[in-house]
Amino acid sequence: MKAMKIGVGLAMGAAITVAGVFLLAGPKAGADPTDAAQVAQGKAVYAEQCASCHGARLEGQPEWQSRKPNGRLPAPPHDASGHTWHHPDADLFRITKQGVVEFAPPGYESDMPAFGGVLNDAEIWAVLAFIKSSWPEDIRRRHAALSERAKK
């Protein structure tokens, strides 16, 4: 009987530990352009939060590489024609959550706000999954390799 109580106690302790780890870690982080549900969520969030600047078709603003009269750059495209895929996933996530200014040289100004107070982490990853889903397979492969190298 005593052994059974110890076994039950150990099993409960293990279950609580596993549940605690899941709650602390949350859902798996990452942007998977092959995950239809994540891409669909990202498409909806993108339409609501990002398309007004970056374009409904991820095309960015006209002349996105030329500074506006105020010295700021227009919103770049997120399709394969832009430079989004030149940045690893972790950087794209942090730029979206914390804003561009956190990663730019001192004095840099941008119209890109931080979305950490607007979107949760899962929504940010979903938007990135949606963006990545628009890229051709060769760009996805190159971006995945870049993101893997950045982890090391």
Side-chain angles (χ1 to χ4, degrees):
M1 186 70 162
K2 185 175 180 181
M4 191 163 108
K5 285 183 181 178
I6 291 172
V8 169
L10 289 173
M12 287 178 61
I16 291 168
T17 300
V18 169
V21 168
F22 178 76
L23 289 173
L24 290 174
K28 182 182 173 198
D32 181 355
T34 66
D35 180 333
Q38 188 183 40
V39 170
Q41 178 190 16
K43 182 177 182 179
V45 174
Y46 179 91
E48 185 178 308
Q49 298 292 332
C50 313
S52 62
C53 292
H54 290 281
R57 294 179 315 282
L58 308 165
E59 72 275 15
Q61 293 176 339
E63 300 181 41
W64 64 274
Q65 293 176 309
S66 299
R67 293 199 181 276
K68 299 186 283 186
N70 67 3
R72 296 178 181 187
L73 288 167
H78 289 311
D79 61 15
S81 73
H83 62 82
T84 304
W85 63 271
H86 295 128
H87 303 285
D89 276 347
D91 289 354
L92 294 174
F93 177 85
R94 290 182 8 236
I95 288 168
T96 306
K97 186 170 184 164
Q98 299 169 9
V100 174
V101 175
E102 294 292 320
F103 305 93
Y108 183 84
E109 293 184 6
S110 173
D111 293 330
M112 171 76 177
F115 282 90
V118 177
L119 303 175
N120 65 40
D121 290 2
E123 290 169 322
I124 293 171
W125 284 121
V127 167
L128 295 174
F130 166 65
I131 290 169
K132 290 165 57 168
S133 74
S134 75
W135 299 340
E137 192 56 42
D138 65 318
I139 297 292
R140 283 194 211 177
R141 277 194 303 277
R142 291 168 68 186
H143 181 261
L146 171 75
S147 291
E148 282 302 312
R149 282 192 307 273
K151 290 179 184 178
K152 296 176 183 178

